[in-house]
Structures are given as C-alpha cells and as structure tokens.
Amino acid sequence: MKTDLVQLIKDRCNLVENNIVVSKILKSYLKDSYTSKIIECNEYSFDLSNGISIRIVNNDIFIENSDSKSLLGEDMRLTINNNSFILSYINNIRTNDKYIIQSFRLYFINKEIVSADIGEYQYGLDVKAIKEYIDNTILNLQFIHSDYYKQLKLYIVNDIYENMRILPDNYKELAFDVTSNKALFNVNDSSEEEEYTGNVFDLIYQFGNISLDNSNNTQMVNIILQINNLLEKEKDYTPKERQYILLNNRKIKRDDN
C-alpha cells in the first residue's frame, strides 16, 4: 500500500496546494517513503515507519530524518510564502575520525533559485566540544526562527570559534545571488569569485568536486542537483496539444505524457 504523503502535507498547509515546485520537491525527496507505514498521525504531524517525522507549523514544513539518540542524519525545512519559499537542510555525519556537518539554504522566487548558501565543515573527533555544539543545535532546530544554514553558522561554526577559538579542520562554502551576478567559493580560507551565469548545475558540480581530506559524501550535493533538475524540467514543460481518439465512435480526449 502507498500513502500520498504530499497530499497529507497539503491537507495541513494550504500554501503547498498551489505551489507546483514545492509539491514536486517534496514528492522527489519523499519518493522512497511512500510505501512506509504511518505509525502516528495527528492534525499537524505524522511519523513514518522508516524513521522520518513530518511536522507542519503554520507555513513551515519540517522533515526530520535524524536518529533521536545519536542525532546523526539529515533534516529539511521549507518555509513558504505566497510566491517564494526557503528550502534549508542540514546533515550531521560522523565517521571514524571526524564530524562532518553539511548544510544549504536555497531561496526561491516563483520557479527560480535566486540565492543560495552551501557549506560543509569538518572537525576531528578529538574536538570534544564540537559534539555538544552539534547536538544542542540539532535538538533546537525547530525552535529557532531561522533557516538551518544560518543555525549551522551561528550556533556551531561561529560559536565554537568565538567561545573556544576552534576552527574547522577543513571546510568549503559556496554562495551565489542573482542580484549581484556573483558566485563565491571559499575553501579553507582561500576565496575565489566568479560571474554567476544562472547555471546552478555547473556551480554545484564544481562544489561537489572540491575534495576535503578525501571526504566524498555526496548526499547534500545530490539533493541540490535533483532539485535543480526538477526546476529545469519545469521550465521546459509546455502543455501538449490535446489529442483525441475514437472509441466506439465516441471522441475521447487523450493526454500524452
């Protein structure tokens, strides 16, 4: 049995109903969860058997896929207005020798990404304090009125530096904005600026190819590329001319997909 998870979200957030892009992003991100069982459901939230929890608070949609004890995993947040929305994401990873925190913020107007901030930060496991900063931030994600990328920078990266003067062992950042026509890469304090041509795929592909200490976790990059692919398809879509076939001498409309 499959459950229409996006429709369940629409039932609880009217702004999703009329936003095709948000609906498609949600469906793409949740596509593997459609066959999961709903183990708990109420007016503003539902929990799935695969560990994903979805909550709707006013015009904020929270999709939480972090382990409740270790807090490892990823969380996504959509903040929706009438013709714009912010999609933010954070992924907490722990390997044998490091903590990796990945995050992005994409700002959309209509069907376009108009600005983005993307970052990955790595800290050695010997930095004992970083676990507390990460855990406290992830536990309070839904209670702070800002996107996940800002929370990552403010409450992990900036705070641990200001309070303890601890820097990431490695990091990479990408920011771009259509109003300035600039894209800025920052890798371990080495910055490079280039013209933003509107080609999101090329920028994200470049960002994904920047290797940090042999790390190759591509989950975040793949999600952004998937979203960009959805936007490109939406731009290319034009309604096809209605065609008709005769069935038992009756004219029947046929929609070719």
Side-chain angles (χ1 to χ4, degrees):
M1 185 185 79
K2 290 185 179 180
T3 304
D4 190 341
L5 300 176
V6 175
Q7 188 58 53
L8 283 175
I9 294 172
K10 290 178 179 180
D11 294 342
R12 292 158 173 77
C13 183
N14 293 333
L15 288 181
V16 178
E17 188 70 50
N18 298 317
N19 196 314
I20 295 172
V21 173
V22 168
S23 297
K24 289 187 174 182
I25 288 173
L26 286 170
K27 187 169 185 178
S28 175
Y29 186 70
L30 294 170
K31 66 181 185 297
D32 294 331
S33 300
Y34 264 60
T35 54
S36 297
K37 293 181 180 179
I38 295 179
I39 57 176
E40 186 173 341
C41 185
N42 59 45
E43 186 178 359
Y44 296 109
S45 67
F46 46 98
D47 298 330
L48 306 179
S49 58
N50 65 350
I52 287 180
S53 176
I54 300 172
R55 296 182 301 104
I56 296 90
V57 181
N58 298 321
N59 295 322
D60 281 299
I61 300 166
F62 299 89
I63 304 175
E64 299 164 349
N65 195 21
S66 297
D67 180 80
S68 59
K69 293 182 179 179
S70 70
L71 300 179
L72 298 174
E74 58 187 10
D75 294 293
M76 184 177 285
R77 176 178 182 173
L78 283 134
T79 302
I80 310 169
N81 292 309
N82 288 322
N83 68 335
S84 66
F85 66 95
I86 295 172
L87 174 63
S88 57
Y89 168 95
I90 190 167
N91 193 13
N92 178 25
I93 305 159
R94 187 165 64 236
T95 69
N96 290 331
D97 61 346
K98 66 174 72 72
Y99 298 101
I100 303 173
I101 315 106
Q102 300 175 332
S103 186
F104 67 74
R105 171 193 188 274
L106 304 178
Y107 178 47
F108 299 75
I109 295 180
N110 296 322
K111 300 176 182 179
E112 302 280 347
I113 299 175
V114 295
S115 68
D117 294 285
I118 307 163
E120 177 179 314
Y121 304 84
Q122 299 183 359
Y123 294 87
L125 294 184
D126 57 330
V127 184
K128 302 298 183 184
I130 191 64
K131 184 180 187 303
E132 182 179 349
Y133 280 86
I134 293 171
D135 288 354
N136 287 341
T137 300
I138 290 176
L139 280 172
N140 290 289
L141 283 177
Q142 65 269 34
F143 302 114
I144 304 173
H145 299 293
S146 65
D147 62 78
Y148 289 171
Y149 183 83
K150 286 182 181 178
Q151 293 180 52
L152 166 72
K153 290 295 295 287
L154 286 174
Y155 299 107
I156 300 179
V157 179
N158 290 357
D159 267 8
I160 199 170
Y161 175 73
E162 291 172 5
N163 295 333
M164 305 182 70
R165 294 307 184 201
I166 295 174
L167 290 166
D169 293 339
N170 292 287
Y171 75 91
K172 59 180 178 179
E173 297 175 323
L174 166 63
F176 61 86
D177 191 322
V178 297
T179 57
S180 64
N181 291 320
K182 298 294 183 184
L184 180 65
F185 287 91
N186 190 8
V187 183
N188 292 334
D189 287 333
S190 178
S191 298
E192 182 178 338
E193 187 176 82
E194 61 181 68
E195 183 180 359
Y196 173 57
T197 63
N199 192 327
V200 176
F201 177 86
D202 281 353
L203 286 174
I204 305 304
Y205 186 76
Q206 288 181 59
F207 178 86
N209 280 341
I210 298 171
S211 178
L212 294 179
D213 193 24
N214 298 317
S215 172
N216 191 31
N217 190 296
T218 59
Q219 175 73 359
M220 176 178 68
V221 169
N222 288 340
I223 288 173
I224 303 174
L225 290 176
Q226 190 174 41
I227 291 168
N228 184 62
N229 186 44
L230 287 173
L231 295 178
E232 292 302 315
K233 287 182 178 179
E234 191 64 27
K235 289 179 191 175
D236 293 340
Y237 172 77
T238 53
K240 295 183 179 179
E241 182 180 351
R242 290 182 178 177
Q243 297 179 332
Y244 295 85
I245 59 174
L246 285 175
L247 181 62
N248 294 332
N249 293 320
R250 294 176 59 198
K251 187 181 281 189
I252 306 295
K253 184 179 73 173
R254 181 180 71 191
D255 291 323
D256 290 334
N257 294 320

